[in-house]
Amino acid sequence: MTRLEIDTVHGPARAELHCAEEGVAALLLGHGAGGGIDAPDLVAATRAAQAAGVHVALVEQPYRVAGRRAPAPANQLDTAWLTVAEELSGRWFDDLPMVFGGRSSGARVACRTAAAAQVAAVLCLAFPLHPPGKPEKTRQAELDAVEVPALIVQGERDPFGRPEAGNHHELVLLDGDHSLRADLDGIARATGEWLGRVLRPLV
C-alpha cells in the first residue's frame, strides 16, 4: 500500500494505492460527504477489485485532508477528483482503462466526471438519490448522464432512496441501509463479478 499527496487548485488531496499483482485496470474510489476512505463498503470493494486484477486508489478530497467534515461545493469536488485521476493515470497506472467509483457523495462525483475522463465504467455504492424525506429533490439525472456501464449497489432500506436501473446501468439491492455494512460479502461479490464482466472486452 502506497500513500500519495497530490496538489489540486483546492488544496492537497491524498490517494491510498492498493495495487493488484497483474493490474488490467484502475479503480478510483471516493468517500462519502462526512466519512473517510476507511468506510466498510469501500474496503470491501477494494479487496474485491484487487482480487479481480484491478489496481485501486482510495481518494481523499482536499476538504477532508484539511480536517473539515463539511463537504466542498460540487464543482470543487469534481475539479480536485479529475486532477487526482489525471495524475494517477499518467504516473502510476500507465494509462490503463480506468473505472470511477465511490460511496454516496463520492458516487455522485464519479458520475459527474465520468464523461470528462472517458472512463470505462462507474461503480456507485449507496448512491444518494435524494435527501432523506425529500424524494422530489432527485439526482437520478446524474446517473442517467453516465453513458458507460454502471453498477449501483444499494441498501434495501436506504433512506436516500433507490435509483432506477437503465440499459447499461445495473442495480444490485442488498440487505441494509445507507452504510451498506449489513452485507459486505454481497458488495464484494457484486463488485468483483461486475468488474470482471465489464473489463473483459478491454483486456
Side-chain angles (χ1 to χ4, degrees), residues 2-185:
T2 302
R3 286 191 178 93
L4 308 172
E5 192 164 282
I6 298 170
D7 288 330
T8 81
V9 293
H10 301 298
R14 285 199 198 111
E16 188 176 283
L17 306 187
H18 298 261
C19 292
E21 285 189 21
E22 302 263 341
V24 297
L27 168 64
L28 270 63
L29 289 173
H31 52 75
I37 59 173
D38 57 351
D41 56 347
L42 293 176
V43 173
T46 296
R47 290 175 180 160
Q50 283 182 283
V54 177
H55 302 310
V56 180
L58 294 164
V59 178
E60 278 188 280
Q61 285 277 357
Y63 77 91
R64 291 288 295 174
V65 175
R68 299 190 298 274
R69 286 189 65 84
N75 64 324
Q76 292 186 21
L77 296 176
D78 295 356
T79 299
W81 176 263
L82 286 169
T83 300
V84 171
E86 184 176 9
E87 173 79 7
L88 293 177
S89 177
R91 292 191 57 187
W92 290 87
F93 295 144
D94 298 324
D95 294 317
L96 288 169
M98 190 165 283
V99 178
F100 279 179
R103 72 160 277 106
S104 197
S105 170
R108 295 183 65 195
V109 173
C111 289
R112 292 194 302 259
T113 56
Q118 298 182 315
V119 297
V122 174
L123 171 64
C124 297
L125 304 173
F127 186 89
L129 183 64
H130 57 70
K134 298 181 179 179
E136 72 280 2
K137 295 191 174 182
T138 180
R139 297 150 180 162
Q140 181 70 39
E142 292 180 356
L143 272 173
D144 292 343
V146 175
E147 297 182 349
V148 293
L151 175 66
I152 305 116
V153 181
Q154 205 80 358
E156 290 183 329
R157 301 185 303 279
D158 193 332
F160 287 82
R162 181 181 298 182
E164 298 173 16
N167 288 336
H168 51 271
H169 297 176
E170 300 174 41
L171 176 64
V172 173
L173 293 175
L174 299 177
D175 180 45
D177 55 18
H178 194 61
S179 74
L180 291 176
R181 293 171 187 264
D183 191 358
L184 298 178
D185 288 342

